[in-house]
Amino acid sequence: VLQQAVQSGPLSGSKPGYFRRASPETAQVAVEFLEEVAGVLKLDGSGGCRGRTGIKEEDGKDNEDEAPIYFSSRQCKAIFSWRDAGLKALEKFKSLEEGM
């Protein structure tokens, strides 16, 4: 799911995380997704980050052995910089709306 998300919308192409041409709605969805991903990540000793997928058991309970996800240092920085760019875009959209 994460790979699909970063291959579409404002997280794809030659300038990933470029929200200037995104609509406020698209930016909001992308930021919510990135906030969710970033919220489960923790830095590890190698400079990368890791987290848990949040996969639930069939009965709906949390899975103690859920699959871990790992990102390199470069990938972690990209996720957090994309989130920050999206947050800036949302602030810009908000200020434009208030100015009207």
Side-chain angles (χ1 to χ4, degrees), residues 29-71:
V29 170
V31 167
E32 287 173 4
F33 172 76
L34 291 167
E35 288 271 303
E36 190 172 328
V37 171
V40 299
L41 296 178
K42 294 181 176 67
L43 295 176
D44 64 18
S46 66
C49 55
R50 57 192 167 95
R52 294 289 180 179
T53 60
I55 296 171
K56 301 279 185 183
E57 292 283 356
E58 286 183 24
D59 61 7
K61 294 182 182 176
D62 285 332
N63 182 355
E64 295 291 326
D65 299 318
E66 61 193 37
I69 52 176
Y70 298 98
F71 296 101

Side-chain angles (χ1 to χ4, degrees), residues 1-99:
V1 171
L2 183 60
Q3 182 177 358
Q4 242 180 346
V6 299
Q7 291 177 337
S8 61
L11 303 180
S12 69
S14 63
K15 293 183 179 181
Y18 184 77
F19 289 89
R20 290 196 179 130
R21 293 188 186 147
S23 69
E25 295 81 15
T26 300
Q28 181 68 44
V29 170
V31 167
E32 287 173 4
F33 172 76
L34 291 167
E35 288 271 303
E36 190 172 328
V37 171
V40 299
L41 296 178
K42 294 181 176 67
L43 295 176
D44 64 18
S46 66
C49 55
R50 57 192 167 95
R52 294 289 180 179
T53 60
I55 296 171
K56 301 279 185 183
E57 292 283 356
E58 286 183 24
D59 61 7
K61 294 182 182 176
D62 285 332
N63 182 355
E64 295 291 326
D65 299 318
E66 61 193 37
I69 52 176
Y70 298 98
F71 296 101
S72 69
S73 175
R74 187 174 179 197
Q75 290 169 323
C76 279
K77 288 177 185 174
I79 290 168
F80 288 102
S81 71
W82 293 342
R83 181 199 59 187
D84 293 346
L87 289 170
K88 285 180 186 177
L90 289 177
E91 285 297 317
K92 182 178 177 183
F93 289 133
K94 186 177 177 181
S95 66
L96 289 174
E97 287 177 1
E98 290 173 355

